[in-house]
């Protein structure tokens, strides 16, 4: 039965351990030994704190105590691979082992490497944040465009109103040479203003399309 149990647990891509009430390992599968780079004689009989280290154990100690009180606990934590080359994320479960007399005799610990899932989630969040920033920038650009067009319409309408108004005055009524000269001056001045605005617009169009040549 023990050989069958060892064969089954060693074939699973899950870290499996049995921890007694004193917090010492009494059983570990092959994945557990491989993860920590230890041989069975180096792991079995040692405490969880000795194997995991003070930092990681401090993050899961409360979960272990709760499991020893008879509660099934699920958690996620960061762990260093053997050699400390890379941080891995694990999803763990602690299941209390209830003896014949109803007392908790130990804890079954199961852990799965979920690093790829966590990295995929982080990448998805990064892409979503980037998309939100891009959408915000597009919305701001759209608002600026609307504000620009509103301002431009006003700026173009002002000289045009003067041109149209004086043209109608000069066409409909008899005016003195002085008034005609004044009207023509107003028309010419506002035509130049409008021409300058249109030239600026053309420059802006060339800037946005990358066709404006600068001469120092």
């Amino acid at each position: 039965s023990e050989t069958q149990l060892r064969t089954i647990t060693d074939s699973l891509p899950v870290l499996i351990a049995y921890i007694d009430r004193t917090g010492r390992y009494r059983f570990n599968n092959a994945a557990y030994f491989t993860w920590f780079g230890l041989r069975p004689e180096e792991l079995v009989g040692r405490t969880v704190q000795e194997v995991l280290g003070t930092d990681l154990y401090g993050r899961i100690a409360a979960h272990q105590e709760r499991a020893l009180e008879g509660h099934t606990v699920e958690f996620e934590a960061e762990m260093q691979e053997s050699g400390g080359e890379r941080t891995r994320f694990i999803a763990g479960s602690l299941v209390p082992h209830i003896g014949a007399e109803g007392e908790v005799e130990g804890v079954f610990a199961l852990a799965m490497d979920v690093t790829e899932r966590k990295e995929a989630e982080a990448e998805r969040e990064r892409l979503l944040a980037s998309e939100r920033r891009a959408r915000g920038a597009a919305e701001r650009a759209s608002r600026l465009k609307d504000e620009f067009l509103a301002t431009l319409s006003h700026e173009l309408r002002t000289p045009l109103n003067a041109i149209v108004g004086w043209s109608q005055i000069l066409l409909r009524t008899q005016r003195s040479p002085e008034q005609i000269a004044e009207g023509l001056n107003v028309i010419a001045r506002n035509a130049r203003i409008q021409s300058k605005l249109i030239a600026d617009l053309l420059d802006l169009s060339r800037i946005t399309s990358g066709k404006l040549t600068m001469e120092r």
Side-chain angles (χ1 to χ4, degrees), residues 12-16 31 35 75-82 86-93 110-119:
L12 297 175
V14 180
L15 279 66
I16 302 175
W35 182 283
F75 65 94
E76 289 189 356
E78 296 181 19
M79 294 181 67
Q80 291 293 124
E81 277 186 315
S82 178
R86 185 184 179 191
T87 298
R88 310 290 294 185
F89 295 91
I90 62 161
S93 296
L110 301 95
M112 180 176 292
D113 188 345
V114 293
T115 303
E116 292 184 0
R117 190 198 76 195
K118 298 291 286 186
E119 290 176 346

Side-chain angles (χ1 to χ4, degrees), residues 41-90:
E41 61 270 20
E42 296 176 312
L43 191 56
V44 176
R46 296 175 63 186
T47 66
V48 177
Q49 184 173 2
E50 288 175 333
V51 175
L52 299 186
T54 304
D55 181 52
L56 177 58
Y57 180 75
R59 281 179 273 155
I60 68 170
H63 301 318
Q64 180 176 306
E65 289 300 321
R66 184 164 174 77
L68 288 171
E69 292 172 357
H71 304 281
T72 297
V73 180
E74 295 184 353
F75 65 94
E76 289 189 356
E78 296 181 19
M79 294 181 67
Q80 291 293 124
E81 277 186 315
S82 178
E85 296 179 357
R86 185 184 179 191
T87 298
R88 310 290 294 185
F89 295 91
I90 62 161

Side-chain angles (χ1 to χ4, degrees), residues 90-213:
I90 62 161
S93 296
L94 299 176
V95 181
H97 171 214
I98 309 298
E101 297 181 3
E103 297 291 329
V104 178
E105 297 184 359
V107 173
F108 293 102
L110 301 95
M112 180 176 292
D113 188 345
V114 293
T115 303
E116 292 184 0
R117 190 198 76 195
K118 298 291 286 186
E119 290 176 346
E121 290 175 354
E123 177 64 12
R124 184 169 63 250
E125 286 299 318
R126 187 189 68 79
L127 291 174
L128 287 173
S130 177
E131 189 274 335
R132 285 193 292 268
R133 288 193 298 270
R135 184 170 63 247
E139 291 172 352
R140 287 192 297 273
S142 179
R143 288 195 300 271
L144 288 172
K145 179 182 176 182
D146 292 340
E147 293 172 4
F148 171 74
L149 290 176
T151 302
L152 175 64
S153 298
H154 174 75
E155 293 295 329
L156 289 174
R157 189 183 301 114
T158 299
L160 184 61
N161 287 339
I163 293 171
V164 172
W166 272 98
S167 297
Q168 291 175 345
I169 291 173
L170 295 177
L171 288 172
R172 292 178 183 176
T173 59
Q174 294 293 326
R175 293 290 175 177
S176 66
E178 292 79 8
Q179 290 174 325
I180 291 174
E182 180 186 359
L184 291 175
N185 285 330
V186 172
I187 291 172
R189 182 172 66 253
N190 283 277
R192 286 193 297 272
I193 292 172
Q194 195 163 50
S195 177
K196 180 64 169 60
L197 286 171
I198 293 172
D200 290 343
L201 276 177
L202 292 175
D203 283 343
L204 180 60
S205 176
R206 285 192 286 270
I207 289 172
T208 57
S209 62
K211 297 179 179 179
L212 184 70
T213 302

Side-chain angles (χ1 to χ4, degrees), residues 20-35:
D20 65 17
R21 285 201 59 84
T22 67
R24 296 182 181 276
Y25 288 109
R26 295 305 175 191
F27 175 88
N28 305 86
N29 71 337
Y32 215 101
F33 295 129
T34 300
W35 182 283

